[in-house]
Amino acid sequence: FRREILDERPPISAPVVGDKVVAAVQVGSFYTKKELENVEVEWMYDWKPVDRVPTGHSGWSSFEHEVLTAGEHQIMASVHSPYDDRPSNFLFPINVYLESPWEQASLFINGERVAWNSPSVFLFRGQPNEVRIEARFLQEKEISLGLINPDGLSIEAAPAFEAWVPVPDGTTTWVVTPAGNKSARITLKLSSKETAQAWEVPCTVLSLNLADEADVLVDGVEVPPTGNWFIRDKPQTVTLTVKSGSPLAGLPVTLSCVIKSGLDVSDVTSAPDFDSEQTTYSWAVTGNTGSGTFLLSLSGKGMTTPITLLDNTLLSNNLSDEATFSLDGATIPVGGGDISWR
């Protein structure tokens, strides 16, 4: 009888050392194309015979093998045909990695590269977030983007979550858009038929408005509507306090200062410095030399709406630097003067 391989199921093409790969072929009649049962299939790894597995129901023979060395390898299925005493072969090439091939891929979210095993990436509600993957091992393959969403956020993706997307040149992009008014943590999951492992990317979904996620205190007190008073050379602590339930922690926040009147830029300083990204959310702000007004603004990285403290006034700790004293219209000098009473 003349036999041939009718169909095949390839193993993952980019396993990691220690993974078990599974390949299968379907054997049938060369003439009738009918599946053949109990036909022995010889399986080879790198051209060396490893196992003989007869076909079962529907003519399938399956082979499982643990890959132990990195590099390019071949799995081959061979079926002998008594008709012409010749084999019918099918070759499965694989490329075994010492570590996950995802580590060699480049992932960008909103234009910023995401490091392998990054602790968290920030996405923002109410706007599209671009997710782009570049991976040479995915050329001419397919990839899907999955979602682990324990808090049930409203999130859409285009292409859709779990859809298999062709990657002809090794690069593809999704647009992920969270909706609603809830912030929480999610996980994006990149999967390929070529790897046993997925790449799970922890993400934090936040509002575009920092005030939805945190409050600002100055020396532990909320800033009153009339504004805040600073005294020269006396530092006050500006603190961003994360609201209960907000996953804001870890997002870089910048404190900025804008002079409104009476001051030079150097008259107001901060430790850490103004305009530097911080994740500790505490700044010691100190005024010196002049008197005047200034604005403080706290901006979350990637957010569109900062928290702004509009009215901040810097004064001397000596009242005479800020005001003159008079009696019956006559100015009283600092240190006092002669006053006559009738």
Side-chain angles (χ1 to χ4, degrees), residues 3-7 25-29 33-37 39-41 53 55-56 58-61 78-80:
R3 300 160 180 166
E4 70 171 350
I5 295 175
L6 300 177
D7 199 1
V25 293
Q26 186 185 45
V27 178
S29 166
K33 311 302 179 187
K34 181 180 179 181
E35 302 91 346
L36 299 176
E37 195 172 349
V39 174
E40 192 172 80
V41 177
V53 182
T55 58
S58 299
W60 285 98
S61 171
S78 182
V79 180
H80 181 258

Side-chain angles (χ1 to χ4, degrees), residues 16 92 141 147 159 240 242 326 339:
V16 177
F92 300 98
K141 308 296 183 182
L147 174 66
L240 187 70
V242 179
S326 62
I339 302 176

Side-chain angles (χ1 to χ4, degrees), residues 237-259:
T237 301
V238 177
T239 305
L240 187 70
T241 304
V242 179
K243 291 183 177 181
S244 176
S246 170
L248 178 72
L251 180 76
V253 174
T254 300
L255 177 66
S256 301
C257 177
V258 176
I259 301 302

Side-chain angles (χ1 to χ4, degrees), residues 29-334:
S29 166
F30 178 84
Y31 300 104
T32 66
K33 311 302 179 187
K34 181 180 179 181
E35 302 91 346
L36 299 176
E37 195 172 349
N38 292 322
V39 174
E40 192 172 80
V41 177
E42 183 175 39
W43 289 94
M44 287 173 273
Y45 188 77
D46 287 343
W47 318 112
K48 296 180 181 179
V50 176
D51 202 0
R52 293 177 180 269
V53 182
T55 58
H57 181 67
S58 299
W60 285 98
S61 171
S62 182
F63 171 71
E64 181 180 282
H65 185 74
E66 182 178 2
V67 293
L68 300 177
T69 57
E72 294 182 351
H73 299 274
Q74 297 81 28
I75 296 172
M76 190 171 77
S78 182
V79 180
H80 181 258
S81 290
Y83 172 80
D84 54 7
D85 198 29
R86 298 179 63 182
S88 175
N89 300 326
F90 193 89
L91 190 67
F92 300 98
I94 61 173
N95 192 2
V96 182
Y97 292 80
L98 282 172
E99 56 191 18
S100 173
W102 293 114
E103 296 189 45
Q104 301 179 25
S106 298
L107 176 65
F108 300 87
I109 294 184
N110 290 330
E112 293 203 9
R113 185 163 185 170
V114 178
W116 172 255
N117 285 338
S118 171
S120 188
V121 180
F122 293 93
L123 308 177
F124 295 97
R125 302 191 250 121
Q127 75 167 25
N129 298 266
E130 184 185 79
V131 178
R132 186 174 86 254
I133 185 75
E134 299 175 0
R136 187 164 49 186
F137 77 93
L138 291 175
Q139 288 181 354
E140 304 299 332
K141 308 296 183 182
E142 290 183 325
I143 187 174
S144 75
L145 179 67
L147 174 66
I148 301 173
N149 185 12
D151 291 297
L153 300 187
S154 175
I155 306 178
E156 295 183 350
F161 288 121
E162 308 298 343
W164 288 105
V165 180
V167 192
D169 60 355
T171 300
T172 195
T173 300
W174 294 264
V175 175
V176 176
T177 307
N181 56 7
K182 184 178 179 180
S183 298
R185 301 187 190 280
I186 63 169
T187 300
L188 296 178
K189 185 176 180 179
L190 291 158
S191 300
S192 167
K193 298 175 182 178
E194 315 310 315
T195 63
Q197 299 174 325
W199 184 357
E200 294 190 355
V201 184
C203 297
T204 301
V205 176
L206 295 171
S207 170
L208 287 164
N209 187 340
L210 183 57
D212 291 339
E213 308 292 348
D215 298 307
V216 177
L217 305 178
V218 177
D219 279 351
V221 179
E222 291 186 10
V223 180
T226 53
N228 195 68
W229 298 87
F230 285 77
I231 304 300
R232 288 185 208 157
D233 302 317
K234 180 182 178 182
Q236 294 196 57
T237 301
V238 177
T239 305
L240 187 70
T241 304
V242 179
K243 291 183 177 181
S244 176
S246 170
L248 178 72
L251 180 76
V253 174
T254 300
L255 177 66
S256 301
C257 177
V258 176
I259 301 302
K260 295 173 67 177
S261 66
L263 299 170
D264 293 330
V265 172
S266 60
D267 288 339
V268 185
T269 62
S270 171
D273 291 337
F274 288 125
D275 301 317
S276 62
E277 293 182 345
Q278 304 294 328
T279 56
T280 55
Y281 304 159
S282 181
W283 298 262
V285 177
T286 307
N288 57 76
T289 307
S291 297
T293 59
F294 59 96
L295 172 155
L296 292 174
S297 179
L298 295 103
S299 304
K301 185 175 183 179
M303 292 182 170
T304 57
T305 306
I307 297 176
T308 302
L309 308 180
L310 289 171
D311 298 311
N312 302 280
T313 303
L314 174 63
L315 299 174
S316 169
N317 59 3
N318 187 343
L319 184 58
S320 63
D321 291 339
E322 307 295 345
T324 58
F325 301 90
S326 62
L327 179 64
D328 288 340
T331 299
I332 301 175
V334 176

